[in-house]
Amino acid sequence: MIDFKTITKAVTLITLCVLLHSCYAVKTSDEFYDIKTSELNTLYLIDISGSMEGIDEGSVEDQVMREVGNTAGSKVSKAIGGKIGSILGKQVTKEATKLGAVKRNLIPAIKGLPDGKKFLVFAFNNSVTKQANAFKVADNMARTSSNLFVKNLTAQGGTDTLQGLLQAIATEDVQEIVLMSDGLPNDNPNTVLEEVKKRNTNDVIIHTIAFGEDADLSFMQTLAKENNGTFITSKM
């Protein structure tokens, strides 16, 4: 027999979760974490490896989102039961992950890009998935399609950070890269740093944002420092 009291609580939590979710879907921002939107051609590089399904402690707002997502997801799954309950529960819980934190912050940043700004989004795990091969010029259509690309990303597979970075650096007209990752590459971190140093002959700026308690902060910080970028953790 279905416990309607439990369902009511679950619905309340889902409503809160949806409100938080919808807020980031409609709000705009002129920065991504503490990285201000620049006039440079910016390539957003997102780690979508399996480890990005892990928990992101993040800021206070992120922690609230995680708790709401986890609690609501669990209650939905138990109250409704069966395959539908399981699917809905997992969908709500996804907001609590590292990749969920990326989406909650990147989507408003892209939505806030000024008209004429050149930008592009890549994602990587075992391979690199490109939103497009050439930079987009920000307008309503470009911002909307890019955010749809980000929203539909799922975390799975390995972490070929090196290939992600090399393909980003090799992209024509790129001037600035923003790497979002837990900093746990398949390759030795020193190998990644050495290869990037060899290939980054045009002095592309590389900012790094580290997600999760298990992030390799040393690697992410060094990568940013050696490429004139800013290092940030999602807790900031």
Side-chain angles (χ1 to χ4, degrees):
M1 185 175 179
I2 296 176
D3 184 345
F4 288 100
K5 187 175 181 181
T6 300
I7 291 179
T8 300
K9 289 181 180 178
V11 169
T12 301
L13 286 167
I14 291 172
T15 302
L16 178 56
C17 191
V18 169
L19 285 172
L20 287 169
H21 176 86
S22 61
C23 282
Y24 83 74
V26 299
K27 74 179 183 180
T28 62
S29 175
D30 64 353
E31 65 178 21
F32 182 42
Y33 286 93
D34 284 338
I35 300 174
K36 285 282 186 182
T37 299
S38 72
E39 295 181 354
L40 301 176
N41 299 341
T42 305
L43 193 154
Y44 298 100
L45 182 61
I46 307 171
D47 179 352
I48 56 168
S49 63
S51 62
M52 290 295 283
E53 279 288 3
I55 290 174
D56 176 61
E57 295 298 331
S59 63
V60 172
E61 180 182 350
D62 287 333
Q63 291 177 44
V64 170
M65 189 67 199
R66 186 185 75 248
E67 290 304 319
V68 170
N70 282 336
T71 305
S74 177
K75 286 187 176 293
V76 168
S77 183
K78 289 178 181 178
I80 298 176
K83 288 185 178 180
I84 294 177
S86 178
I87 291 170
L88 290 175
K90 287 178 181 178
Q91 189 63 37
V92 174
T93 304
K94 278 184 180 180
E95 289 297 327
T97 65
K98 299 173 192 175
L99 184 56
V102 169
K103 294 178 181 183
R104 289 197 304 277
N105 289 278
L106 182 57
I107 286 175
I110 290 176
K111 197 170 179 64
L113 294 177
D115 285 351
K117 160 81 174 178
K118 290 186 177 181
F119 73 103
L120 190 56
V121 184
F122 285 4
F124 69 92
N125 45 26
N126 292 320
S127 58
V128 180
T129 302
K130 301 179 180 181
Q131 172 202 12
N133 289 315
F135 275 89
K136 290 181 172 289
V137 178
D139 59 17
N140 286 337
M141 183 176 293
R143 287 186 288 263
T144 299
S145 63
S146 298
N147 276 338
L148 186 61
F149 175 83
V150 173
K151 185 176 183 297
N152 289 333
L153 292 173
T154 57
Q156 59 184 334
T159 315
D160 199 341
T161 308
L162 180 57
Q163 276 307 307
L165 284 166
L166 294 185
Q167 290 195 39
I169 290 169
T171 301
E172 187 175 0
D173 296 329
V174 66
Q175 296 174 310
E176 175 184 60
I177 296 168
V178 181
L179 171 65
M180 294 147 268
S181 175
D182 53 14
L184 301 170
N186 289 344
D187 299 284
N188 185 303
N190 289 328
T191 300
V192 177
L193 294 170
E194 289 169 8
E195 285 299 314
V196 169
K197 188 179 293 185
K198 288 179 188 175
R199 301 289 189 91
N200 193 11
T201 55
N202 290 326
D203 295 325
V204 175
I205 295 169
I206 302 178
H207 303 295
T208 61
I209 305 175
F211 292 83
E213 291 294 296
D214 57 346
D216 188 338
L217 301 183
S218 176
F219 163 66
M220 296 288 277
Q221 188 169 26
T222 303
L223 180 62
K225 184 178 180 181
E226 291 184 351
N227 295 278
N228 301 308
T230 300
F231 163 70
I232 293 171
T233 72
S234 61
K235 280 193 170 186
M236 292 180 175

